[in-house]
């Protein structure tokens, strides 16, 4: 009876014109398969709607309702569900630049990395278990057809002793376009694998505690490093030097917070907290005086921390400049010989260069972002006026400026060797502007450099304030090497002399912002009176959080309490 009732319900639903217009679809919910065309009525309103009931795939419960065998075959066919990206935790990607080369490395990381090794690599002489951290010669095969794709060296890193702290597999194969495509297609056939997102391997290393944010940034800077100075700074960050220094700063702030919180919560147990040496006056005094003594101690420590942080903030942005490149702006009057490259059109006609042209150079191991600007002069040409305005802005924003002058045009006379700077250029000079006197080959008898004098500075000018200049001929290359060596020495003196590459260098604006926030909160803590020590403790917490944000850490109540209970006896 129940079977006939069930069949009649479905037949009525099938005859409904609204149902007939819909295409038969099926939805899989765990092991329960329900046809959408009619089972909405049956599944929701009948007593068969029960979790304990499951349609049997091997039987034919729908035969009596008129379903064809083809429809039933579709229902009973077993199909594996497609996993989402969140469920496919094993990732893979090409870790070397694509293109033709001797070796390419494909990296696989995740909980199924060992199964990937077993599915896509073969070697008759070795077993089913790899030797971790050892290179093995194995064939890379298609996991479905067993077709040999390439001969490779494989290495399996057993987690957590890997870069990502997960099981990791590296396939060292031949770097050919066809080989790479075949191996990547083979990995894509594994249902639990998916292509890695940009930076996902490093992110997993961060989430696993292998790296902090400063090391992640150092690793990225090391990959992007183009000069020796950039490499040194990046290596320092990637090795964890900055991480240790920031951790030390944060630890000092946490010590202050532990002391303050300890006196707020356990002021009556001052002697038992083991701090007699720090609060000698407070041992026989009232609790409020003990809190005052500890507040003064934390006050002094906060001052020392502020001074230490400021010593890093007052570095003239050397870290950021070395990482991103020293901005060098070349400016001067038209036709002085500033533009010497094929990237721009040059001609004897003044005002040919009208835009700012940029080029990245390596000068003495330092990254230099050179900006070639338009000639500075008074002009009625609207387009040239825009170029002159951009030139002025480039000089203003540059870290270093070089004024190029045509020696025959600025020498008042070959006899007295007085250099007169054009009026159009004077408004863009800085105290540290460098000068290059070009076209020295056009002067018949050039006096020595020591005899050249800039009229604007005079003979009575202090030597430390006199401009630094070189004479050269960029057309014949005479004096060019001396100019480049002198410019490298200037860069070295400004951005390297007395510079310790192992110091916690601020290499990103993010670091500077968080350090400034930490100083602000520490100054707030110092400004509070001793009676407001409970409120001042929150400023210390914010300061520690700002320092921790540089490395990706945070401060929790459990951490503060853990510091108190691990350092002092608070059994009462």
């Amino acid at each position: 009876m129940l079977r006939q009732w069930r069949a009649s319900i479905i037949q009525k639903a099938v005859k409904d014109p609204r149902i007939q217009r819909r295409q038969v679809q099926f939805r899989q919910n765990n092991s329960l398969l329900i046809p959408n065309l009619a089972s909405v009525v049956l599944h929701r309103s009948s007593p068969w709607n029960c979790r304990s009931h499951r349609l049997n795939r091997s039987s034919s419960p729908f035969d009596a309702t008129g379903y064809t065998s083809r429809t039933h075959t579709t229902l009973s066919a077993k199909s594996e569900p497609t996993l989402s990206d969140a469920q496919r935790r094993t990732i893979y990607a090409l870790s070397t630049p694509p293109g033709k080369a001797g070796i390419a490395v494909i990296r696989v990381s995740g909980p199924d990395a060992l199964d990937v090794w077993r599915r896509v690599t073969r070697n008759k002489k070795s077993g089913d278990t790899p030797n971790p951290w050892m290179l093995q010669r194995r064939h890379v095969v298609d996991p479905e057809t067993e077709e040999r794709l390439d001969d490779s060296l494989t290495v399996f890193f057993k987690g957590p002793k890997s870069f990502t702290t997960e099981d990791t597999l590296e396939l060292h194969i031949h770097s050919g376009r066809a080989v790479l495509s075949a191996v990547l297609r083979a990995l894509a056939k594994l249902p639990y694998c998916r292509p890695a997102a940009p930076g996902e391997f490093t992110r997993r290393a961060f989430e696993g505690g292998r790296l902090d944010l400063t090391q992640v940034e150092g690793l990225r800077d090391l990959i992007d490093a183009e000069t020796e100075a950039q490499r040194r700074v990046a290596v320092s960050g990637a090795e964890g030097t900055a991480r240790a220094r920031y951790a030390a700063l944060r630890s000092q702030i946490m010590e202050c917070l532990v002391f303050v919180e300890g006196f707020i919560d356990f002021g009556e147990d001052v002697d038992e907290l083991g701090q007699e040496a720090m609060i000698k006056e407070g041992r026989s005094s009232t609790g409020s005086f003990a809190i005052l003594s500890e507040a003064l101690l934390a006050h002094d420590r906060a001052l020392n921390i502020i001074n230490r942080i400021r010593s890093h903030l007052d570095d003239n942005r050397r870290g950021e400049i070395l990482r991103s490149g020293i901005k060098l702006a070349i400016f001067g009057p038209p036709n002085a010989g500033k533009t010497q490259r094929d990237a721009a059109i040059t001609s004897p006609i003044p005002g040919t260069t009208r835009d700012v042209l940029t080029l990245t150079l390596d000068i003495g191991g330092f990254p230099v972002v050179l900006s070639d600007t338009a000639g500075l002069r008074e002009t009625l040409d609207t387009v040239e006026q825009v170029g002159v305005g951009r030139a002025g802005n480039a000089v203003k924003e540059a870290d270093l400026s070089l004024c190029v002058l045509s020696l025959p045009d600025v020498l008042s006379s070959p006899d007295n060797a007085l250099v007169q700077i054009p009026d159009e250029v004077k408004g863009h000079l800085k105290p540290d502007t460098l000068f290059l006197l070009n076209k020295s080959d056009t002067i018949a008898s050039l006096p020595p450099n020591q005899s050249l004098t800039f009229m604007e500075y005079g003979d009575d000018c202090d030597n430390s304030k006199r401009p630094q200049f070189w004479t050269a001929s960029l057309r014949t290359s005479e004096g060019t090497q001396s100019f480049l060596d002198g410019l490298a020495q200037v860069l070295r003196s400004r951005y390297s002399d007395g510079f310790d590459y192992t110091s916690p260098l601020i290499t990103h604006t993010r670091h500077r912002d968080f350090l400034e926030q930490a100083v602000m909160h520490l100054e707030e803590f110092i400004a509070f009176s001793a009676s407001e020590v409970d409120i001042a403790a929150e400023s210390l917490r914010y300061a520690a959080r700002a320092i921790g944000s540089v490395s990706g850490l945070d401060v929790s109540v459990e951490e503060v309490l853990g510091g108190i209970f691990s350092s002092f006896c608070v059994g009462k």
Side-chain angles (χ1 to χ4, degrees):
M1 294 291 295
L2 186 60
R3 185 184 184 94
Q4 294 177 356
W5 171 83
R6 182 172 180 271
S8 64
I9 291 292
I10 296 179
Q11 289 176 358
K12 291 179 181 180
V14 171
K15 294 179 180 180
D16 192 325
R18 294 172 298 178
I19 299 298
Q20 292 177 354
R21 288 193 300 264
R22 298 178 56 186
Q23 186 179 13
V24 178
Q25 298 177 348
F26 296 94
R27 182 183 61 186
Q28 178 174 351
N29 183 10
N30 295 332
S31 61
L32 182 60
L33 294 177
I34 304 169
N36 285 345
L37 79 166
S39 61
V40 175
V41 178
L42 175 65
H43 184 65
R44 292 185 179 179
S45 60
S46 71
W48 290 87
N49 182 15
C50 178
R51 290 188 178 182
S52 61
H53 172 67
R54 293 291 184 269
L55 297 181
N56 189 354
R57 297 184 182 184
S58 61
S59 62
S60 303
F62 299 107
D63 289 348
T65 66
Y67 283 131
T68 63
S69 60
R70 181 178 179 181
T71 305
H72 173 65
T73 302
T74 305
L75 283 171
S76 62
K78 294 184 180 180
S79 59
E80 296 183 0
T82 302
L83 301 178
S84 65
D85 286 349
Q87 293 172 313
R88 294 185 294 173
R89 287 288 300 164
T90 302
I91 58 176
Y92 65 90
L94 177 65
S95 297
T96 51
K100 296 181 179 180
I103 296 296
V105 178
I106 294 179
R107 178 183 292 173
V108 182
S109 179
D112 299 304
L114 179 58
D115 192 64
V116 174
W117 182 87
R118 291 169 176 166
R119 294 284 301 275
V120 302
T121 65
R122 295 287 184 273
N123 191 328
K124 296 181 180 179
K125 297 182 180 180
S126 62
D128 295 335
T129 303
N131 294 325
W133 312 291
M134 292 184 63
L135 279 172
Q136 292 179 297
R137 184 178 179 180
R138 298 177 66 86
H139 301 300
V140 179
V141 300
D142 187 292
E144 295 180 352
T145 64
E146 294 292 326
E147 177 188 1
R148 183 180 298 181
L149 304 179
D150 193 19
D151 191 12
S152 71
L153 291 176
T154 65
V155 56
F156 181 78
F157 299 90
K158 180 66 177 176
K161 295 182 179 181
S162 67
F163 174 70
T164 61
T165 71
E166 302 173 325
D167 287 351
T168 303
L169 171 65
E170 287 187 359
L171 303 175
H172 298 239
I173 60 178
H174 296 95
S175 184
R177 182 173 300 177
V179 176
L180 293 176
S181 299
V183 175
L184 292 176
R185 282 197 306 267
L187 293 174
K189 293 180 180 180
L190 301 177
Y192 43 77
C193 288
R194 64 173 176 85
E200 189 169 2
F201 289 98
T202 306
R203 177 162 185 166
R204 292 192 177 190
F206 168 72
E207 293 174 349
R210 178 72 65 205
L211 305 174
D212 76 332
L213 289 183
T214 60
Q215 290 176 293
V216 170
E217 291 168 333
L219 180 60
R220 183 187 61 188
D221 294 341
L222 183 60
I223 295 174
D224 296 336
E226 297 180 352
T227 65
E228 182 66 15
Q230 289 177 322
R231 183 196 63 80
R232 292 180 180 179
V233 175
V235 166
S236 178
E239 289 180 345
T241 302
R243 175 182 185 174
R245 297 298 180 89
Y246 284 123
L249 284 174
R250 183 173 176 271
S251 177
Q252 294 175 7
I253 299 176
M254 292 301 301
E255 288 179 2
C256 294
L257 183 59
V258 166
F259 293 145
V260 174
E261 292 282 3
F263 269 94
I264 293 175
D265 297 335
F266 313 105
E268 296 179 356
D269 296 329
V270 172
D271 292 342
E272 296 187 12
L273 294 178
Q275 304 175 56
E276 293 87 348
M278 293 183 292
I279 51 171
K280 294 180 179 179
E281 296 88 351
R283 291 189 61 181
S284 59
S285 303
T286 63
S288 61
F289 188 82
I291 294 177
L292 176 61
S293 300
E294 188 57 32
L296 292 176
L297 177 63
H299 178 278
D300 294 338
R301 291 195 175 193
L303 281 177
N304 293 333
I305 298 172
I306 290 176
N307 293 333
R308 185 175 179 182
I309 295 177
R310 289 198 181 280
S311 66
H312 299 302
L313 291 174
D314 299 336
D315 62 350
N316 296 323
R317 297 178 53 253
R318 287 188 295 184
E320 294 101 314
I321 290 174
L322 286 178
R323 185 184 66 84
S324 59
I326 304 170
K327 295 180 181 179
L328 173 62
I330 298 179
F331 70 101
N335 278 2
K338 301 183 299 300
T339 304
Q340 300 290 327
R341 297 182 292 122
D342 295 335
I345 299 175
T346 60
S347 74
I349 302 175
T352 303
T353 303
R354 298 188 174 187
D355 207 348
V356 178
L357 307 176
T358 59
L359 176 67
T360 302
L361 300 175
D362 182 348
I363 300 179
F366 293 90
V368 176
V369 181
L370 187 146
S371 297
D372 186 6
T373 64
L376 302 176
R377 68 167 182 168
E378 295 291 338
T379 179
L380 298 178
D381 190 314
T382 305
V383 178
E384 188 176 355
Q385 289 177 354
V386 175
V388 172
R390 291 183 179 181
N393 294 334
V395 175
K396 185 183 302 183
E397 298 173 358
D399 303 314
L400 191 63
S401 59
L402 174 66
C403 180
V404 180
L405 302 175
S406 176
L407 188 57
D409 297 337
V410 297
L411 275 180
S412 59
S413 149
D415 299 332
N416 54 24
L418 288 176
V419 177
Q420 185 175 4
I421 301 176
D423 295 336
E424 295 83 357
V425 177
K426 292 180 180 179
H428 301 280
L429 297 180
K430 299 179 180 179
D432 57 353
T433 297
L434 306 175
F435 290 89
L436 174 62
L437 305 179
N438 191 22
K439 302 182 181 180
S440 61
D441 58 312
T442 60
I443 302 298
S445 58
L446 181 65
N449 287 345
Q450 293 81 357
S451 62
L452 290 176
T453 304
F454 285 77
M455 297 180 60
E456 286 72 17
Y457 294 90
D459 295 334
D460 299 334
C461 180
D462 187 3
N463 290 333
S464 60
K465 296 182 180 180
R466 288 185 178 182
Q468 191 166 359
F469 66 93
W470 299 268
T471 59
S473 173
L474 299 180
R475 186 177 65 87
T476 63
S477 299
E478 181 183 357
T480 302
Q481 189 60 46
S482 176
F483 160 66
L484 292 176
D485 294 342
L487 181 59
Q489 180 59 36
V490 171
L491 298 177
R492 193 175 299 109
S493 62
R494 295 192 182 187
Y495 299 102
S496 179
D497 284 356
F499 180 74
D500 184 7
Y501 286 105
T502 63
S503 64
L505 180 65
I506 302 173
T507 57
H508 294 75
T509 304
R510 183 181 68 86
H511 304 171
R512 188 173 299 276
D513 292 340
F514 282 122
L515 288 178
E516 290 175 349
Q517 291 181 22
V519 171
M520 178 187 67
H521 293 307
L522 289 173
E523 291 176 343
E524 290 176 353
F525 167 76
I526 294 175
F528 282 109
S529 61
S531 60
E532 299 173 314
V533 65
D534 53 341
I535 304 176
E538 196 65 21
S539 296
L540 285 177
R541 196 185 310 276
Y542 286 136
R545 183 169 297 143
I547 297 295
S549 297
V550 178
S551 300
L553 303 176
D554 200 357
V555 180
S556 62
V557 177
E558 289 75 11
E559 183 176 2
V560 176
L561 294 179
I564 295 175
F565 286 101
S566 62
S567 301
F568 310 116
C569 176
V570 288
K572 292 184 179 180

